[in-house]
Amino acid sequence: MNIQPTYSSLDYPGKMSLVLFTPGCDLRCKYCHNPQLLKNERLTKWDIEEIEEEVEKNLDFIDGIVLSGGEPLLHLDVIENFIKQAKDSNLLVKLDTNGLHPDEISEIIDDLDYVAMDIKAPLDKYYKISDIYPSNTKETINRTIEIILEHNVFLECRTTYVPQLLTPQDIYDLTKDLKCDMYTIQQFRNRVTYDSRLADYEEPNPEELLKIIKSLDTTIPEIHIKSNQFGNQIIKKE
Ligand code: SF4
């Protein structure tokens, strides 16, 4: 399998979860820290069985599963099975997504408890982050947000801040009218990156992230900073 399921107390806030990684993605973010998942789009039936067994074995230790990747919605038929298994076992389900698959998310939205969606840049500036992205990125992501909010599923939006790719104004612009329950700005980490040139970029100082967050004009009720130095910091919670 590309990446083994991983236990985590961080990926589903406040819960112990099993994180299931799926391969393939329709973006190529320069900072992607799972580049091995971008090479192979396939999930074999042995992978699927292995994941289902891992969930089954650990039902007593976990509160939920996190569907992550890569982009899990590229494997809708497979993740529908994981979700069914989770729901039959009274587990919570969180989806990590790039927001580019509104039709697929509509199919499973009733069974999701939490969605963490990347907003990589202002929606008309994805060229800053990825050399490939759909021409209708803005409309597609807005549709995905609408579907999630209409169904009252908790929505966290998050941006990885790479000072060489984004500016504080980009974060201001992308959060200004963003509708979600929680926004997280994540510190860029240079250990493993899809574009090897980013390994030479310095990681931003958490103080820089704090300064950006304090300058925002947004009604988002909960705002976090995630950094290597301070972990997950709640900056605002209404
Ligand atoms: S960071 Fe996420 S959205 Fe970007 S290429 Fe990697 S898996 Fe895809």
Side-chain angles (χ1 to χ4, degrees), residues 26-126:
D26 22 28
L27 295 177
R28 290 291 180 274
C29 303
K30 294 171 187 168
Y31 54 72
C32 182
H33 63 277
N34 279 335
Q36 73 283 18
L37 286 176
L38 305 182
K39 288 186 203 140
N40 181 0
E41 306 263 321
R42 285 175 358 98
L43 205 52
T44 67
K45 87 178 167 78
W46 296 281
D47 291 336
I48 296 165
E49 281 171 14
E50 207 177 312
I51 290 172
E52 286 174 345
E53 277 167 25
E54 193 70 18
V55 174
E56 195 61 40
K57 250 189 347 203
N58 292 284
L59 285 175
D60 289 346
F61 308 111
I62 55 175
D63 304 305
I65 61 167
V66 175
L67 302 162
S68 192
E71 174 48 54
L73 292 171
L74 291 176
H75 306 272
L76 182 63
D77 51 337
V78 173
I79 64 169
E80 277 178 330
N81 285 331
F82 296 155
I83 291 171
K84 181 171 183 325
Q85 183 193 22
K87 288 291 153 185
D88 287 349
S89 309
N90 291 320
L91 294 176
L92 297 164
V93 179
K94 173 176 178 262
L95 171 73
D96 292 348
T97 180
N98 61 23
L100 294 173
H101 300 274
D103 293 341
E104 287 76 5
I105 207 169
S106 321
E107 296 289 319
I108 56 169
I109 191 75
D110 288 333
D111 285 323
L112 298 180
D113 300 287
Y114 192 125
V115 177
M117 194 169 113
D118 296 335
I119 305 288
K120 307 271 176 201
L123 299 183
D124 51 358
K125 292 188 176 168
Y126 266 44

Side-chain angles (χ1 to χ4, degrees), residues 28-33 119-122 124-131 159-171 174 186-190 193-204 208 212:
R28 290 291 180 274
C29 303
K30 294 171 187 168
Y31 54 72
C32 182
H33 63 277
I119 305 288
K120 307 271 176 201
D124 51 358
K125 292 188 176 168
Y126 266 44
Y127 61 86
K128 288 187 160 201
I129 302 299
S130 172
D131 289 337
T159 309
T160 298
Y161 187 71
V162 188
Q164 293 83 352
L165 303 181
L166 292 173
T167 64
Q169 183 69 40
D170 286 329
I171 304 298
L174 75 86
Q186 304 177 139
Q187 180 190 40
F188 157 65
R189 306 294 315 281
N190 61 11
T193 57
Y194 171 68
D195 182 335
S196 55
R197 289 171 298 185
L198 270 68
D200 297 328
Y201 290 4
E202 257 187 53
E203 296 176 353
E208 192 180 345
I212 294 171

